[in-house]
Amino acid sequence: MDLKLFGEVFVTLLVITDPPGMMPIFLALTGPLPARDRNRAAWQAVALALGVIVIFAVAGQTLLDYLHVDLPALQAAGGLLLVLVALELLTGKTDGPSTDATSNIALVPLGTPLLAGPGAIVATMLFVQQADGLGDYTAIAVAILAVMVAVWIVLRFSGGIVKILRPGGIEVLTRIAGLLLAAIAVQLIADAVFAFVTHYVNMT
């Protein structure tokens, strides 16, 4: 296994997924939930993110080509999803704690597009395209697993912060997380628009 490649993939994906930055958003979305549901949301989100990244690593370019979808379109779609979630957080119109709500939160926006977003997908696809031999593929696979484990650990043990913040603190955190999500969404959409414009300018 190529340890240098492992380090590159691990650091790149860890920076993109940003577990410490994910924590306030995760707590804002799952703070009202019981500890058991919050823990389930953590592993469901990580499992979905892992599955999405693996699928795009193995067949991402083929899938996008088959659907005639460019990466900027995927990026813009992720931004629109985050806009909807951000508006719910900012207006306080989130779903009440329930099993369905837990699953929904784990899938969108935690699993995708926050953890397995355009950045993580593109980075993984590039690493796979540049890989040469079984050793490189093994390094990439182990690095992806290591990043997902690190993210799960951060989310799994963030519950202690909920006890400190109490309901009032969670309410404030929810509004802050909504603002952060809105900013991330606008940046994703802006980057997608810039990529589209650059692509068509280069074609002409």
Side-chain angles (χ1 to χ4, degrees):
M1 186 177 74
D2 188 339
L3 293 179
K4 181 181 178 182
L5 179 60
F6 167 83
E8 291 177 358
V9 178
F10 179 80
V11 172
T12 301
L13 291 181
L14 195 66
V15 170
I16 292 173
T17 54
D18 187 19
M22 275 289 299
M23 190 183 297
I25 298 172
F26 176 76
L27 292 177
L29 292 169
T30 63
L33 298 174
R36 182 178 178 182
D37 289 342
R38 187 166 54 249
N39 294 338
R40 183 167 66 245
W43 75 256
Q44 285 179 341
V46 170
L48 175 66
L50 178 61
V52 170
I53 289 176
V54 168
I55 288 173
F56 275 93
V58 174
Q61 196 59 56
T62 303
L63 181 62
L64 292 179
D65 290 342
Y66 177 77
L67 297 174
H68 304 290
V69 173
D70 293 327
L71 282 172
L74 191 66
Q75 192 167 0
L80 292 175
L81 280 174
L82 290 185
V83 166
L84 296 176
V85 177
L87 289 175
E88 289 184 350
L89 291 177
L90 287 170
T91 58
K93 295 180 179 179
T94 53
D95 295 329
S98 68
T99 302
D100 291 340
T102 303
S103 299
N104 292 338
I105 289 168
L107 299 179
V108 179
L110 290 177
T112 182
L114 284 176
L115 290 178
I121 289 171
V122 172
T124 304
M125 288 172 61
L126 289 176
F127 279 122
V128 170
Q129 289 172 6
Q130 296 168 4
D132 181 23
L134 182 60
D136 287 355
Y137 291 122
T138 303
I140 294 172
V142 174
I144 293 172
L145 284 173
V147 169
M148 291 296 107
V149 169
V151 172
W152 177 80
I153 290 173
V154 171
L155 298 184
R156 170 64 177 80
F157 294 101
S158 62
I161 300 177
V162 173
K163 298 177 182 178
I164 299 173
L165 292 177
R166 303 295 177 88
I170 292 294
E171 185 72 18
V172 173
L173 189 64
T174 299
R175 299 296 181 265
I176 295 173
L179 185 61
L180 292 174
L181 270 183
I184 294 171
V186 170
Q187 187 64 57
L188 282 174
I189 295 172
D191 290 344
V193 171
F194 179 78
F196 273 123
V197 171
T198 303
H199 175 69
Y200 286 111
V201 166
N202 291 335
M203 288 179 62
T204 57

